[in-house]
Amino acid sequence: MKRLLAVVLVSRGMVVFVEDEETLRRLGETILSRMGFEVSAHEDAESALIVIQESSHLVLLATDMSLPGMSGVQLAHQMRALGIGVPILLMSGHDEEEIEEAGGGPAPSRIMQKPIGLADLRACVDELIQ
């Protein structure tokens, strides 16, 4: 008689991941999924904002700063204007001074400079979500 094991994966919540470069978007989606998150990956801030507004289990916004149309910083501020207080991870090839000049990330947020190592991304996400 064979015994079947049922594995139930419990999601750690949803991460909205915004990156306009397809390779980086897929990589981020894979890493976050393997960390146990449901991932909603987007190439632009506008489509991400729709999911943010509709999600009841959002735990993190991880976004590139430079996006076509609305920037990642603008997306973060739009999310705060909606009263959504989840942590924000801003990823950028720009230095922090340029990010602050663009409006900075609303608290609680963290800025990571690209390129981002896999271990650094994992550690940062775990730290933000604690």
Side-chain angles (χ1 to χ4, degrees), residues 71-110:
S71 74
V73 171
Q74 291 169 322
L75 173 61
H77 286 282
Q78 287 281 332
M79 185 177 79
R80 286 295 185 262
L82 293 169
I84 301 168
V86 300
I88 299 163
L89 171 58
L90 284 172
M91 301 167 290
S92 180
H94 301 277
D95 63 29
E96 286 192 46
E97 186 175 311
E98 288 180 80
I99 294 169
E100 293 304 321
E101 287 174 6
S109 64
R110 174 111 184 260

Side-chain angles (χ1 to χ4, degrees), residues 7-39:
V7 177
V8 178
L9 296 177
V10 177
S11 172
R12 294 177 65 186
M14 178 188 284
V15 173
V16 171
F17 187 81
V18 191
E19 171 60 62
D20 59 330
E21 292 184 41
E22 184 178 0
T23 302
L24 295 176
R25 186 172 58 252
R26 287 184 179 175
L27 180 61
E29 184 175 16
T30 299
I31 292 165
L32 293 164
S33 293
R34 288 182 180 168
M35 290 177 69
F37 296 101
E38 178 184 343
V39 182

Side-chain angles (χ1 to χ4, degrees), residues 12 15 31-32 35 37 59-63 87-91 108-113 116-130:
R12 294 177 65 186
V15 173
I31 292 165
L32 293 164
M35 290 177 69
F37 296 101
V59 295
L60 177 71
L61 167 63
T63 182
I88 299 163
L89 171 58
L90 284 172
M91 301 167 290
S109 64
R110 174 111 184 260
I111 299 168
M112 292 191 80
Q113 297 295 317
I116 299 169
L118 301 179
D120 291 335
L121 177 61
R122 287 186 193 113
C124 181
V125 169
D126 282 337
E127 179 184 307
L128 284 168
I129 295 189
Q130 292 184 11

